[in-house]
């Protein structure tokens, strides 16, 4: 007697994931892509045969609900895992498994924001905020490399504007010195 694997379901309809009742949330394209990524990782690790991968991928792209996608990856290490609500499960509440959640966004470094603001203010302040932009930009980039915070682009933009304003002031002073030397000689 042959029993269907959990992802095959019975007949053409997949069986609900354990603990779910009723209809499931409709799956988005991003949900399907994440499920396919988990399946491909399982294949790369040798957990799925190629023919099984192809069948599951086809079912993932044809899945209508998140519950169907959960069935496809439930037996893989990166598949859905139930999350516990702080106050216990609410009626009708189904937590989204970590597999289907977006990656957390890193915190933006405050000095990177300061470098960007000072760098952008070099134009209206005629370059007076250039030196703070450079100092904040270098400090922020060092902290970002050390702590994996976000904001490297902001720090770099502040650095570029800061160095441009410093170079502009340096060029202006150099031209002033040349003009003073030429006019006195």
């Amino acid at each position: 007697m042959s029993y269907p694997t959990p992802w095959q379901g019975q007949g053409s309809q997949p069986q609900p994931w354990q603990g779910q009742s009723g209809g499931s949330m409709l799956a988005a394209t991003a949900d399907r892509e994440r499920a396919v990524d988990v399946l491909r990782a399982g294949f790369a690790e040798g957990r799925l045969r190629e023919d099984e991968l192809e069948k599951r991928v086809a079912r993932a792209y044809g899945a209508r609900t998140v519950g169907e996608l959960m069935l496809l990856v439930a037996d893989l290490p990166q598949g859905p895992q139930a999350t516990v609500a702080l106050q216990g499960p609410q009626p009708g509440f189904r937590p989204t498994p970590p597999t289907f959640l977006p990656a957390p966004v890193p915190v933006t470094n405050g000095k990177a924001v300061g470098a960007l603001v000072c760098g952008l203010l070099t134009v209206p302040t005629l370059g007076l905020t250039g030196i703070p932009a450079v100092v904040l930009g270098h400090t922020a980039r060092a902290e970002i490399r050390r702590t994996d915070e976000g904001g490297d682009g902001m720090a770099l933009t502040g650095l570029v504007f800061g160095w441009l304003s410093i170079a502009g002031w340096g060029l202006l002073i150099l031209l002033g010195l040349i003009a003073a030397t030429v006019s006195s000689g």
Side-chain angles (χ1 to χ4, degrees), residues 46-141:
R47 298 178 187 277
L48 296 173
R49 294 183 321 271
E50 187 174 0
D51 61 328
E52 187 175 3
L53 170 70
E54 291 171 3
K55 288 177 186 176
R56 288 192 192 197
V57 167
R59 293 218 31 192
Y61 284 125
R64 181 157 163 75
T65 64
V66 173
E68 293 174 44
L69 294 173
M70 288 180 193
L71 283 173
L72 295 172
V73 296
D75 58 344
L76 296 173
Q78 298 165 346
Q81 299 181 8
T83 56
V84 179
L86 295 177
Q87 300 174 351
Q90 303 295 322
F93 173 75
R94 288 185 296 275
T96 304
T99 303
F100 299 105
L101 293 176
V105 177
V107 176
T108 303
N109 184 291
K111 291 178 184 169
V113 174
L116 177 64
V117 170
C118 288
L120 293 175
L121 287 176
T122 57
V123 175
T125 63
L126 300 176
L128 294 178
T129 58
I131 292 174
V134 169
V135 171
L136 286 171
H138 282 295
T139 306
R141 291 194 79 200

Side-chain angles (χ1 to χ4, degrees), residues 16-43:
W17 192 42
Q18 289 182 356
Q20 286 186 339
S21 61
S24 294
M25 182 172 33
L26 292 177
T29 303
D31 297 328
R32 291 180 191 91
E33 291 298 328
R34 280 190 286 271
V36 169
D37 288 343
V38 171
L39 292 170
R40 288 188 177 137
F43 174 72

